[in-house]
């Protein structure tokens, strides 16, 4: 639940941030750039603790909501960098041609630049999603019940530590292999469509 929600929110944050980093508007560009630099410089566990414990006492944040927000903010910065690089990899001539054909800048970005960007960045985005999935195990530090928390509870009762953590590792491996394959299928479909 945390992983899926965080992937969706982080992707939206990343798209806005990446777009902000390449905009000609200096204020938006500066905000996006500062956000990326600050957030990437702070470990995820510190962000989780800050949002859950520090902000949580004032805003009364629920555990899952705090975890999704923290992970999405953290990964949104990394995904924003990926979108920025992808957008900048598309030739400026694409935008100029779209403008010459009567598209607005927004339409040109949404209909011409963004689809090409997605094709370019998909492998890197897939890697970030896999890293996010693995990092979601950190939510157990917030006393949220996730795979790691359940595993620790079970191992504490049964003293079957090696077996429990091998099973947890295999479950994470299966999930990451599934996610990796899903990204691979998306890449194949985009390549077929691009031909």
């Amino acid at each position: 639940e945390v992983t899926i929600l965080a992937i969706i929110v982080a992707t939206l944050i990343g798209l806005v941030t990446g777009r902000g980093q390449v905009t000609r508007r200096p204020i938006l560009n500066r905000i996006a750039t500062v956000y990326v630099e600050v957030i990437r410089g702070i470990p995820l566990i510190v962000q989780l603790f800050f949002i859950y414990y520090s902000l949580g006492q004032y805003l009364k944040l629920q555990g899952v909501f705090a975890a999704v927000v923290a992970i999405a903010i953290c990964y949104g910065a990394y995904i924003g960098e990926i979108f920025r690089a992808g957008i900048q990899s598309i030739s400026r001539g694409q935008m100029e041609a779209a403008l010459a054909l009567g598209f607005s800048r927004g339409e040109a970005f949404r209909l011409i630049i963004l689809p090409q960007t997605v094709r370019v960045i998909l492998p890197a985005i897939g890697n970030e999603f896999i890293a996010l999935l693995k990092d979601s195990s950190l939510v157990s530090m917030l006393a949220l019940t996730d795979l790691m928390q359940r595993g620790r509870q079970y191992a504490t009762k049964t003293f079957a530590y090696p077996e429990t953590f091998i099973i947890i590792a295999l479950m994470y491996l299966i999930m990451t292999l599934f996610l990796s394959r899903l990204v691979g299928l998306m890449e194949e479909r985009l390549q077929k469509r691009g031909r």
Side-chain angles (χ1 to χ4, degrees):
E1 182 181 353
V2 169
T3 301
I4 292 169
L5 291 172
I7 283 174
I8 293 167
V9 177
T11 303
L12 294 174
I13 291 171
L15 176 59
V16 170
T17 302
R19 180 83 166 109
Q21 287 184 296
V22 297
T23 188
R24 293 179 182 172
R25 297 180 182 149
I27 293 172
L28 295 177
N29 185 290
R30 178 67 60 198
I31 290 170
T33 301
V34 168
Y35 161 72
V36 167
E37 295 303 320
V38 168
I39 295 300
R40 289 192 323 160
I42 301 170
L44 175 57
I45 191 75
V46 174
Q47 293 177 46
L48 280 166
F49 277 38
F50 178 77
I51 288 174
Y52 185 68
Y53 291 112
S54 299
L55 293 181
Q57 71 184 29
Y58 300 110
L59 303 177
K60 305 294 185 225
L61 300 176
Q62 298 297 317
V64 171
F65 181 77
V68 169
V69 167
I71 293 171
I73 287 172
C74 179
Y75 275 89
Y78 290 97
I79 292 172
E81 271 296 285
I82 293 169
F83 269 109
R84 179 201 53 77
I87 292 167
Q88 288 179 332
S89 75
I90 306 302
S91 167
R92 288 181 183 236
Q94 296 285 326
M95 179 62 83
E96 292 167 6
L99 295 174
L101 290 171
F103 286 89
S104 70
R105 283 196 170 276
E107 290 172 332
F109 179 77
R110 191 176 65 254
L111 299 173
I112 295 168
I113 305 300
L114 190 58
Q116 293 179 71
T117 300
V118 169
R119 187 175 297 137
V120 170
I121 67 170
L122 195 56
I125 290 284
N127 288 338
E128 287 302 316
F129 290 167
I130 290 167
L132 189 154
L133 170 65
K134 293 187 289 185
D135 280 349
S136 70
S137 66
L138 293 174
V139 302
S140 66
M141 303 289 283
L142 306 179
L144 292 177
T145 305
D146 76 321
L147 192 56
M148 277 299 294
Q149 181 77 352
R150 293 267 188 212
R152 276 200 308 247
Q153 290 169 350
Y154 178 78
T156 302
K157 288 178 188 173
T158 63
F159 298 102
Y161 288 97
E163 299 88 348
T164 301
F165 291 112
I166 286 171
I167 290 170
I168 290 171
L170 288 173
M171 291 173 79
Y172 272 107
L173 178 63
I174 290 167
M175 288 187 287
T176 57
L177 289 174
F178 172 76
L179 192 54
S180 180
R181 184 63 192 134
L182 187 64
V183 170
L185 289 171
M186 289 171 64
E187 282 182 68
E188 289 172 17
R189 289 189 80 182
L190 284 173
Q191 285 177 352
K192 285 178 186 174
R193 196 180 294 168
R195 287 185 185 151

